Amino acid sequence: MRPRRPNRPATPDPARRQGRPAVNLLRATGTIGGLTLLSRVLGLVRDSLFARFIGASFASDAFLVAFRLPNMFRALFAEGAFASAFIPMFNRKVADPDGKGLADGMDFAERALAVLLPVLLVMTVLLEIFAWPVTMALSGKFNGVTRDQFAFAVELSRITIPYLMLISLVSLFGGLLNSLHKFWVNAAAPILLNLTLIAALLLFHSSDPMVTARNQAIAVSVSGLLQLIWLGWAARANGISLRLRRPRLDPEVKRLLALIWPAALGAGAVQINLVVSTALAASLLAHGSVTYIYLADRLNQLPLGLIGIGLGTVLLPTISRQLGGGEDAAAMHTQNRGLELALLLTLPATVALVLCGEPIAAALFGYGRFTAEDTHFTAQALAAFSIGLPSYILIKVLTPGFHARQDTRTPVRFATISMGVNLALNLALILPLEHIGPPLATAIASTVNMVLLYRTLVKRGHFALDERLRRRAPRLALAALAMGAVLWAGQGLLTPYINGTWPIRFAALAALVTAGCVVYGAATVVLGAFSRDDLALLLRRRRAS
């Protein structure tokens, strides 16, 4: 075994390598965040159309349960486990000074694909065969439905199942491109999902909500094929061409598989918690409750996608390369700046969604088949979800500290504890709080997971808050609270406009967001949480390594 190279002396900017500039964390996160913002805006358009044409009913609940399976699989295996296990191993091969660099990485990717493709095919076939019990597990057979209604829900699940295999192959190509710092290509792929679903809603909606729901299920799998074509073309354009090989379980592939399974639970704890919440809501609450929870989660996922996924995508390959080069100080610096950026962007989003959920939900969903009561219930679920928003995002920032060191077992242990907490709280809260109970349980469980991850990194000496972050974190919290106070006092002025025509609704919502940004930005400067010099430093032009 090659001896570990000693750490290089710290420099004024530990994130910069000797002779080669590091990834600009803000710029890379901003690239991903900008494309994710476009995707999430399209997602809100999709959800608004969904609420208009399907409403909150059994048809909407049945589709959302069917859609929950591919969403869970994507988070557990495609986006979460595969990226967490594959990217550090790939990057270590590319960065190995004794190897052939990218050629060794591509060889490893081909061997991984040769094993994973047959596994995905078998899993897809099995899920199609056992779609009935799978749907029952995800829904609790719904609350008071007929056999024909449940058969309809199973049909929707079967239609969406091929998306699982397609999105996993998309993840392979996306992981390769991310490792080569081509972050934007993979970040743009979900846009195709939203465009496909929007087209299906606009062109193939029906007066019968169940027909519209079935067309949405078809659109899900079509979008998976489109995303695979897009990533495959982009990979080839960037010199990535993977050959199909005969499957062989060599030691490195065995190591990859050993890392994937625990990482699936660790990275997908939030999704697993949402699946539990969905199943309990479908089986114990009135029809429409799954839809309230889903739409609230979609709004809650907007900042999570813009901030958490972008940061996690950039941090994992960056930290793994720094650790592979023996630059522990640089890795610590990178993670501190990631945490600071997460707090800067997350705290105001949390306060805004908790305090202003009602006008936001009304502006986006409150028309057509979606009633005023549906809007109110969605806002209540959103407030409960948003309490845990900082935890959801900090998990994305902290977990790369484990995965970059090829430790996937510790996050899964904590995720298991989190899932136990979520289940216990769901059972305790769902009947007294109804649709508010599952989101609140998910938020508390995620907070438990985040605290365990943070304390363990600190205990192992892999992470410590630097002086800059210790000074700024409480000031960022005060700035967010100041913004919340202003929005709470002023949101009543927008009420007459929130239920107007679409242009008026969006103008009112834009005014609310703009006011929040201005107040928060001013508060961060006044309180010394952020300055123009900091912004200039973060925006400094640096090429990716």
Side-chain angles (χ1 to χ4, degrees):
M1 179 179 296
R2 193 173 68 256
R4 183 185 179 93
R5 289 175 289 179
N7 293 346
R8 294 186 178 94
T11 65
D13 183 3
R16 185 178 291 278
R17 295 186 177 198
Q18 181 71 26
R20 186 169 60 174
V23 174
N24 186 323
L25 185 62
L26 181 65
R27 182 191 298 176
T29 303
T31 298
I32 298 171
L35 289 168
T36 305
L37 173 61
L38 176 58
S39 175
R40 295 303 166 105
V41 169
L42 290 172
L44 290 178
V45 173
R46 180 192 89 200
D47 292 333
S48 296
L49 294 171
F50 182 88
R52 176 181 180 179
F53 293 127
I54 303 180
S57 60
F58 169 73
S60 63
D61 286 359
F63 169 74
L64 294 174
V65 166
F67 196 32
R68 177 62 66 194
L69 181 62
N71 269 338
M72 178 185 70
F73 194 93
R74 183 192 64 213
L76 265 62
F77 295 97
E79 290 179 356
F82 187 82
S84 299
F86 175 79
I87 289 177
M89 295 182 70
F90 178 86
N91 278 330
R92 287 179 186 273
K93 283 191 164 293
V94 172
D96 188 350
D98 296 335
K100 298 179 181 179
L102 184 59
D104 285 348
M106 291 296 110
D107 177 73
F108 172 63
E110 289 179 354
R111 288 183 280 126
L113 176 63
V115 172
L116 290 175
L117 184 57
V119 171
L120 291 171
L121 287 170
V122 170
M123 186 174 295
T124 301
V125 172
L126 290 176
L127 286 172
E128 290 284 359
I129 293 172
F130 295 104
W132 188 283
V134 168
T135 304
M136 183 176 294
L138 292 174
S139 67
K141 206 176 180 180
F142 294 95
N143 182 17
V145 299
T146 66
R147 183 178 180 85
D148 288 343
Q149 285 177 313
F150 187 72
F152 172 75
V154 174
E155 178 190 355
L156 297 190
S157 295
R158 285 201 168 104
I159 293 172
T160 61
I161 283 171
Y163 183 82
L164 311 186
M165 182 180 71
L166 295 169
I167 202 63
S168 296
L169 296 176
V170 165
S171 179
L172 172 62
F173 288 113
L176 291 170
L177 290 165
N178 286 343
S179 295
L180 300 178
H181 296 160
K182 305 294 182 181
F183 298 113
W184 74 273
V185 179
N186 193 35
I191 294 173
L192 293 172
L193 168 66
N194 288 318
L195 288 175
T196 306
L197 293 177
I198 289 171
L201 283 166
L202 291 175
L203 300 176
F204 302 107
H205 66 269
S206 168
S207 58
D208 183 353
M210 296 181 77
V211 173
T212 307
R214 182 184 290 109
N215 291 337
Q216 283 289 278
I218 295 171
V220 168
S221 289
V222 170
S223 74
L225 180 60
L226 293 176
Q227 290 178 75
L228 180 58
I229 293 171
W230 161 246
L231 265 295
W233 172 84
R236 181 173 290 274
N238 283 278
I240 298 173
S241 181
L242 300 182
R243 299 168 298 169
L244 290 177
R245 297 185 178 186
R246 179 175 298 178
R248 188 167 65 89
L249 288 175
D250 59 58
E252 288 182 325
V253 172
K254 287 182 180 179
R255 172 68 174 162
L256 175 65
L257 295 176
L259 291 172
I260 283 178
W261 294 107
L265 292 176
V270 171
Q271 286 294 325
I272 293 175
N273 288 341
L274 287 172
V275 168
V276 171
S277 301
T278 299
L280 290 173
S283 59
L284 298 177
L285 301 181
H287 292 166
S289 297
V290 171
T291 304
Y292 307 145
I293 293 171
Y294 167 80
L295 292 176
D297 179 51
R298 291 286 295 167
L299 290 173
N300 184 60
Q301 289 284 329
L302 181 61
L304 176 59
L306 296 178
I307 307 164
I309 293 175
L311 273 172
T313 300
V314 175
L315 286 174
L316 180 56
T318 303
I319 294 175
S320 61
R321 285 200 179 200
Q322 289 169 339
L323 292 176
E327 301 183 43
D328 291 7
M332 183 85 71
H333 176 84
T334 298
Q335 202 155 17
N336 264 282
R337 299 290 69 78
L339 192 60
E340 181 181 350
L341 188 57
L343 292 175
L344 172 70
L345 301 175
T346 304
L347 293 177
T350 301
V351 173
L353 291 177
V354 170
L355 297 181
C356 302
E358 191 87 30
I360 292 172
L364 293 172
F365 308 130
Y367 72 120
R369 293 180 180 269
F370 210 77
T371 66
E373 183 181 59
D374 295 333
T375 297
H376 179 65
F377 290 158
T378 300
Q380 290 178 327
L382 174 61
F385 265 131
S386 300
I387 292 172
L389 182 58
S391 298
Y392 307 144
I393 292 178
L394 292 183
I395 288 170
K396 296 286 187 181
V397 175
L398 296 171
T399 302
F402 294 90
H403 291 160
R405 295 173 173 88
Q406 298 191 31
D407 176 10
T408 57
R409 295 188 179 275
T410 300
V412 74
R413 187 168 73 250
F414 296 155
T416 303
I417 295 172
S418 169
M419 287 185 284
V421 171
N422 179 66
L423 178 59
L425 290 175
N426 259 286
L427 294 172
L429 299 176
I430 192 167
L431 291 180
L433 297 181
E434 297 183 332
H435 56 278
I436 302 174
L440 184 59
T442 300
I444 296 172
S446 294
T447 302
V448 170
N449 192 4
M450 182 272 294
V451 170
L452 291 172
L453 290 169
Y454 172 77
R455 291 182 61 184
T456 301
L457 282 175
V458 172
K459 184 177 179 181
R460 293 178 178 179
H462 294 160
F463 182 72
L465 297 177
D466 59 20
E467 183 181 352
R468 171 173 153 177
L469 186 54
R470 287 178 181 274
R471 184 176 68 253
R472 293 188 174 182
R475 300 182 186 189
L476 289 171
L478 286 175
L481 291 175
M483 179 208 71
V486 173
L487 291 183
W488 176 257
Q491 65 176 311
L493 299 175
L494 297 176
T495 301
Y497 307 100
I498 289 297
N499 296 312
T501 61
W502 269 111
I504 293 177
R505 286 175 185 239
F506 280 117
L509 201 55
L512 184 69
V513 173
T514 301
C517 291
V518 170
V519 172
Y520 180 66
T524 58
V525 173
V526 170
L527 294 170
F530 206 65
S531 69
R532 287 183 298 176
D533 290 340
D534 296 323
L535 184 60
L537 179 64
L538 284 172
L539 291 175
R540 184 176 55 194
R541 297 191 64 178
R542 292 154 68 176
R543 293 186 180 276
S545 58

